[in-house]
Amino acid sequence: MLKGRHLIDIMDFSTEELDEILGLANEIISDEEKFSQVCRGKLLATLFYEPSTRTRLSFESAMMRLGGKVIGFSDAGSSSVSKGESIVDTIRVISCYADIAAMRHPKEGAPKIASMYSSIPVINAGDGGHQHPTQTLADLLTIKSMKGTMSNLKIGCCGDLKFGRTVHSLIKAMSRYENNNFTLISPRELKIPDYVKKELDNKNIEYIETSSLEAAIGSLDVLYMTRVQKERFFNEEDYVRLRDSYILDKEKMTGAKDNMIVLHPLPRVNEISHEIDQDPRACYFKQVKYGMYVRMALIMELLGIK
Ligand code: NCD
């Protein structure tokens, strides 16, 4: 039962529960009209302490497509936070108004703290460089739809693996399905954090670390590209030096399998050349659409609406 639960970390849900959400998302996709009023009278609060268009609008459109309504803020400066209100007080107040809340925060762990004091379900919509479980739900639904399976895949993650929270959540999630392995492609300075590697080691999951996209691309089933996370750098110089470490272009794609898929959580900066957008293997805009449907399913499940 997912009713009343929080989603802070993708591991909060069992694989059966994840399957249930993905299954409901597919049902919604096949008959959207049937679900267009199921959240009538329900309110979603979007508490965004960090800039976001995509994720916030994805949550908002998800709730509205279910017939529900949305309140919230997209900039902490325009809320009581600027008066010094704590997250704990904010969530206690919001719990009185809304039925469910999605929170994005620059500090790792902030949505977790909020969930401890909340009487409504709290969804982590991204906490600092830590986790981004609803992006992972979007990624899982895209992989399942495009590859027909979430097992036996060679998954390449490329770019900023240090600060990229989407990759941290994705690796955790995909390592629960059978026989997946990972190729972690990054410059030395942006390698995956040790805590993620430790989890892979503990589960005996195979992975390699490399700095060469060209050398790795030919063996991959899924290539997950990421943006270098400018806002988490301590100095501009390092960012400028590293931002164009990887640019996926037509030439590199000639080395990839015909059925490899390219994913990206977006926003894209330079890491995927626009000439790839027409390539049938480019799935990042489909991923956006799947992201909205899977958030619809998640909202329904946490509210206990069937
Ligand atoms: C990602 C994020 O916020 O972590 N974007 C998103 O949710 N659509 C990736 C990113 O910002 O690079």
Side-chain angles (χ1 to χ4, degrees), residues 252-283:
K252 291 196 188 79
M253 284 296 280
T254 58
K257 288 185 191 168
D258 288 344
N259 62 353
M260 183 189 81
I261 59 170
V262 183
L263 303 183
H264 190 304
L266 304 181
R268 146 173 71 178
V269 187
N270 273 335
E271 54 283 348
I272 301 179
S273 157
H274 287 261
E275 64 190 17
I276 304 293
D277 296 355
Q278 312 311 326
D279 190 308
R281 293 170 289 184
C283 294

Side-chain angles (χ1 to χ4, degrees), residues 54-55 104 132 135 165-166 227 229 231 265-267:
R54 208 162 318 277
T55 304
R104 168 166 291 195
H132 193 349
Q135 179 63 48
R165 55 192 172 197
T166 58
R227 166 181 78 89
Q229 306 279 301
E231 65 277 30
L266 304 181

Side-chain angles (χ1 to χ4, degrees), residues 176-219:
R176 296 163 94 182
Y177 296 92
E178 233 171 286
N179 201 28
N180 290 327
N181 63 63
F182 300 91
T183 303
L184 306 172
I185 310 155
S186 73
R188 194 172 35 84
E189 295 88 336
L190 299 177
K191 277 165 88 165
I192 199 95
D194 284 342
Y195 82 90
V196 181
K197 280 199 276 188
K198 220 174 246 155
E199 285 171 7
L200 291 173
D201 288 335
N202 288 344
K203 290 182 172 168
N204 270 329
I205 289 164
E206 228 183 275
Y207 65 89
I208 54 164
E209 292 185 280
T210 171
S211 58
S212 171
L213 175 57
E214 286 90 337
I217 199 167
S219 64

Side-chain angles (χ1 to χ4, degrees), residues 38-46 59-60 63-64 66-72 93-102 120-121 123 299 303 305:
V38 294
C39 281
R40 232 176 119 187
K42 299 288 185 201
L43 215 50
L44 163 78
T46 53
F59 271 108
E60 296 189 358
M63 189 52 159
M64 289 182 187
L66 295 169
K69 292 205 166 79
V70 181
I71 56 168
V93 169
I94 296 296
S95 295
C96 300
Y97 302 148
D99 302 288
I100 185 166
I120 59 173
I123 302 169
I299 290 169
L303 288 176
I305 293 168

Side-chain angles (χ1 to χ4, degrees), residues 136-171:
T136 302
L137 289 176
D139 303 340
L140 295 183
L141 184 58
T142 312
I143 292 172
K144 196 172 177 186
S145 307
M146 305 310 298
K147 302 297 297 177
T149 176
M150 294 195 290
S151 306
N152 305 311
L153 297 171
K154 203 171 182 69
I155 301 151
C157 299
C158 177
D160 186 346
L161 307 187
K162 180 178 181 190
F163 298 116
R165 55 192 172 197
T166 58
V167 169
H168 305 160
S169 294
L170 180 68
I171 291 175

Side-chain angles (χ1 to χ4, degrees), residues 50-65:
E50 194 186 64
S52 157
T53 357
R54 208 162 318 277
T55 304
R56 185 171 52 83
L57 294 183
S58 178
F59 271 108
E60 296 189 358
S61 50
M63 189 52 159
M64 289 182 187
R65 278 171 184 265

Side-chain angles (χ1 to χ4, degrees), residues 16-36 38 65-66 141 144-145 289-290 292-298 300-301 305-306:
E16 291 75 24
E17 288 166 337
L18 294 178
D19 284 347
E20 188 177 317
I21 295 169
L22 302 185
L24 179 56
N26 277 325
E27 267 184 61
I28 297 172
I29 292 170
S30 62
D31 188 1
E32 222 187 304
E33 184 57 33
K34 193 170 120 193
F35 296 87
S36 66
V38 294
R65 278 171 184 265
L66 295 169
L141 184 58
K144 196 172 177 186
S145 307
K289 191 105 192 177
Y290 284 127
M292 181 188 71
Y293 287 120
V294 90
R295 288 184 177 97
M296 291 170 79
L298 176 67
M300 283 182 63
E301 292 279 358
I305 293 168
K306 280 280 146 101

